[in-house]
Amino acid sequence: SGQHRVRRETAQLLAPVGDPEKVICVGLNYHDHCQEQGVKVPKEPLIFSKFPSSITGPFDDIVHPQDTNELDWEVELAAVIGKRGRHIEEAAALEHVLGFTVANDVSARDWQMRRNGRQWLLGKTFDTFCPLGPAIVTREAVADVHNLWIRCSVNGHRMQDSNTRHLIFGVPTLVAWVSRFVTLVPGDILLTGTPAGVGVFRKPPIFLKRGDEVQCEIEELGTICNRVV
């Protein structure tokens, strides 16, 4: 009706999905991200996870843990599952996607790469390590999810600048692959990987510090912006 509106600056936007059953992530899923590490392109999707408790709002703070000095950014396209399925055929996979949103797969690189037996989970799942939003854009409203520019800036300096056409495994492939192992249910979030430009592979490496502002944006989906505290 247009009769029930509040000014954006007077409202706090929450994450569009706050307590999903699963947060499923994909590693090494951009050609340029593999190149910056000097690693081979994976033959199968590399799957890991974050706990749902890592989710925070699109403009909420990222809490810098005392346990790390290697905090890094990763802008990612996130798909939100809208229809339950197991053993989903790739040709029908997009029918199981409600829509898309912007995510930042915040990472503590020391815990991801050197500690905890080099399992990635702890380095990826501290509280506030998954800013998400600003909204879910429905699948039908996105012209071509595999042709969107995707960017991340830190304190106004562009760090990542790529396009989802550089994904190694597209959204239908990922949905079909993951559904071979687990049942996907409405609200599940699938982070599809990050492009080149993360801090750990820069020479010298650059890591986030308290006071930094991280902005992640994807064409047609919007922008999230989080301050490190």
Side-chain angles (χ1 to χ4, degrees):
S1 66
Q3 296 178 10
H4 307 285
R5 296 176 179 267
V6 295
R7 297 182 64 85
R8 170 65 70 87
E9 59 267 22
T10 68
Q12 178 190 6
L13 284 184
L14 304 179
V17 181
D19 189 23
E21 182 178 291
K22 295 184 284 295
V23 180
I24 303 159
C25 307
V26 186
L28 298 176
N29 198 32
Y30 276 79
H31 288 280
D32 53 6
H33 188 45
C34 291
Q35 290 170 1
E36 73 175 344
Q37 300 178 56
V39 298
K40 294 181 179 179
V41 172
K43 295 181 179 180
E44 296 175 336
L46 195 164
I47 304 298
F48 62 99
S49 67
K50 297 167 88 81
F51 291 138
S53 55
S54 66
I55 293 174
T56 193
F59 305 106
D60 292 342
D61 293 336
I62 297 168
V63 177
H64 193 308
Q66 296 180 349
D67 296 295
T68 183
N69 294 312
E70 298 183 3
L71 195 66
D72 207 348
W73 58 85
E74 291 192 9
V75 61
E76 305 209 8
L77 167 74
V80 182
I81 299 299
K83 178 182 175 183
R84 184 184 182 94
R86 180 83 196 278
H87 300 297
I88 299 167
E89 294 293 334
E90 188 170 327
L94 282 180
E95 298 173 12
H96 291 261
V97 175
L98 170 68
F100 304 96
T101 193
V102 183
N104 185 354
D105 178 18
V106 182
S107 306
R109 299 300 190 187
D110 42 1
W111 285 94
Q112 177 192 357
M113 296 179 170
R114 298 190 303 279
R115 304 188 64 177
N116 194 42
R118 297 185 179 180
Q119 297 184 73
W120 289 11
L121 177 64
L122 289 184
K124 294 283 190 174
T125 204
F126 284 89
D127 290 354
T128 74
F129 270 27
C130 190
L132 199 66
I136 298 172
V137 180
T138 57
R139 182 185 76 247
E140 296 83 1
V142 178
D144 181 0
V145 73
H146 298 111
N147 187 23
L148 303 174
W149 53 253
I150 178 170
R151 298 168 179 161
C152 177
S153 300
V154 178
N155 300 327
H157 299 286
R158 185 69 51 79
M159 296 297 187
Q160 294 179 277
D161 191 349
S162 189
N163 191 290
T164 57
R165 65 173 174 265
H166 299 305
L167 281 164
I168 297 167
F169 303 105
V171 175
T173 301
L174 295 174
V175 170
W177 175 262
V178 172
S179 75
R180 290 173 55 179
F181 304 91
V182 296
T183 300
L184 294 174
V185 300
D188 282 351
I189 298 171
L190 175 62
L191 275 61
T192 60
T194 198
V198 297
V200 69
F201 297 120
R202 292 177 175 268
K203 296 179 173 47
I206 300 173
F207 295 113
L208 295 170
K209 59 186 183 301
R210 293 174 182 87
D212 285 346
E213 186 176 85
V214 186
Q215 180 171 295
C216 297
E217 53 183 334
I218 301 178
E219 184 180 6
E220 298 186 29
L221 305 186
T223 300
I224 63 176
C225 188
N226 308 90
R227 183 170 293 276
V228 181
V229 300

